[in-house]
Amino acid sequence: MSLEILSPVAGRVVPITEVPDPVFAQAMVGPGIAVQPSGGRSDAVAPVDGTVATLHPHAYVVATDDGKAVLVHLGIDTVKEKGEGFTLHVVKGEQVRAGQPIVSWDPEAVTAAGYSAIVPVVALDASADVLSGLDAERDVAAGDRLFGWDA
């Protein structure tokens, strides 16, 4: 059984190796893919059904009932923004549905502030061989299938 991981944002899918941060590009926190967001202020959504296990204005983790956890990081070095421009819609520990808004943010403002707005989406504690459909160079809407995580 494969778990579908949905795109948290709209944009262009790119290989995780293109993320300008070695922690993500070298898959130190896990394998995945990235989305170069398009447009201005929008909602970043839950990639799976589950519990919000970690929540920061610039990043969140949603864990499924069977222990799989997906990290969404909104931009690179955006922790330095200290939450400025990010609006949380959930609380840590809350049950969420795939596609549910988690954080509102503005990728164009992030870029204007001098940061990369790229969004790594990482399967935590997974090996790369259990992920499927990591096809890059395609456009997605928030909530579209991004990749699969096989059991």
Side-chain angles (χ1 to χ4, degrees):
M1 176 111 181
S2 180
L3 174 67
E4 287 203 342
I5 311 301
L6 305 185
S7 181
V9 297
R12 184 85 175 157
V13 179
V14 297
I16 194 107
T17 53
E18 291 188 14
V19 175
D21 183 322
V23 171
F24 295 107
Q26 297 174 17
M28 292 180 194
V29 291
I33 201 159
V35 179
Q36 184 64 53
S38 57
R41 190 145 191 91
S42 59
D43 291 331
V45 303
V48 294
D49 291 343
T51 303
V52 179
T54 300
L55 182 64
H56 301 284
H58 66 284
Y60 53 92
V61 174
V62 178
T64 66
D65 289 343
D66 67 352
K68 293 174 178 160
V70 179
L71 166 67
V72 175
H73 203 281
L74 302 173
I76 302 302
D77 291 332
T78 46
V79 66
K80 295 175 184 171
E81 291 292 287
K82 299 182 177 167
E84 181 83 23
F86 296 83
T87 304
L88 301 177
H89 298 293
V90 298
V91 295
K92 184 178 176 182
E94 185 171 334
Q95 292 285 320
V96 295
R97 302 291 298 180
Q100 180 178 337
I102 304 293
V103 178
S104 292
W105 72 310
D106 187 340
E108 291 176 347
V110 166
T111 301
Y115 302 102
S116 169
I118 198 165
V119 178
V121 181
V122 176
L124 296 175
D125 297 322
S127 60
D129 61 342
V130 299
L131 303 185
S132 60
L134 292 169
D135 306 317
E137 306 310 324
R138 59 189 163 103
D139 294 322
V140 292
D144 283 355
R145 183 183 192 277
L146 194 55
F147 62 89
W149 186 341
D150 300 325

